[in-house]
Amino acid sequence: MSYVIYQMPSSLWHKDSFFKSDSVVSRYDYLPVHQGQLPDDAQEMKSDIDILEHLFHTFNADHPKNYASRSMSSGDVVMLDKGYCAKYYLCCSVGWHELENF
């Protein structure tokens, strides 16, 4: 399974400082900052939320060597691609929200 992390450029941070499940999110406000394959231990996780939490921990506490962006935080979007479908999730102030039209 692959993933892409999208982050809003700092020039747009003022748009919504408290991201929640009803926040309006536009793909045009984001840039892809990192993509990769999930490590083997994460591939075995059953739920997307578990995978997202794993990525959140990785990109906050244990950045990969090739990662040059800021830590993952609320407002960031993660795309999970299982090969047969891609889903986009907004990192909210509390938890994750699936985006239907990103």
Side-chain angles (χ1 to χ4, degrees), residues 4 6 9 21 23 26 30-33 35 37 46-48 50 54 62 66 68 71 79 81 95 97 101:
V4 178
Y6 295 87
S21 61
S23 293
S26 170
Y30 286 82
L31 298 172
V33 297
Q35 62 185 22
Q37 294 291 321
K46 300 290 185 212
S47 77
D48 286 355
D50 288 341
H54 175 83
D62 192 21
N66 63 345
S71 293
M79 184 271 296
D81 187 350
H97 175 72
N101 298 310

Side-chain angles (χ1 to χ4, degrees), residues 68-102:
S69 195
R70 63 172 171 73
S71 293
M72 190 183 293
S73 63
S74 65
D76 292 350
V77 173
V78 176
M79 184 271 296
L80 297 179
D81 187 350
K82 297 179 180 179
Y84 55 89
C85 72
K87 292 183 179 181
Y88 295 85
Y89 293 91
L90 175 67
C91 181
C92 297
S93 298
V94 176
W96 297 87
H97 175 72
E98 186 174 352
L99 299 171
E100 299 292 328
N101 298 310
F102 186 74

Side-chain angles (χ1 to χ4, degrees), residues 12 14 19 29 35-36 58 60 62 67 75 80 96-98:
L12 297 177
H14 66 279
F19 287 92
D29 291 338
Q35 62 185 22
T58 299
N60 277 283
D62 192 21
Y67 184 67
L80 297 179
W96 297 87
H97 175 72
E98 186 174 352

Side-chain angles (χ1 to χ4, degrees), residues 1-55:
M1 179 187 307
S2 62
Y3 65 90
V4 178
I5 297 172
Y6 295 87
Q7 293 180 336
M8 190 178 285
S10 59
S11 61
L12 297 177
W13 284 354
H14 66 279
K15 288 191 83 166
D16 193 345
S17 60
F18 187 76
F19 287 92
K20 45 201 178 303
S21 61
D22 62 349
S23 293
V24 176
V25 179
S26 170
R27 171 174 248 156
Y28 301 108
D29 291 338
Y30 286 82
L31 298 172
V33 297
H34 187 76
Q35 62 185 22
Q37 294 291 321
L38 289 175
D40 290 339
D41 60 336
Q43 295 272 3
E44 298 174 11
M45 293 179 178
K46 300 290 185 212
S47 77
D48 286 355
I49 299 302
D50 288 341
I51 293 167
L52 293 164
E53 290 297 327
H54 175 83
L55 290 171

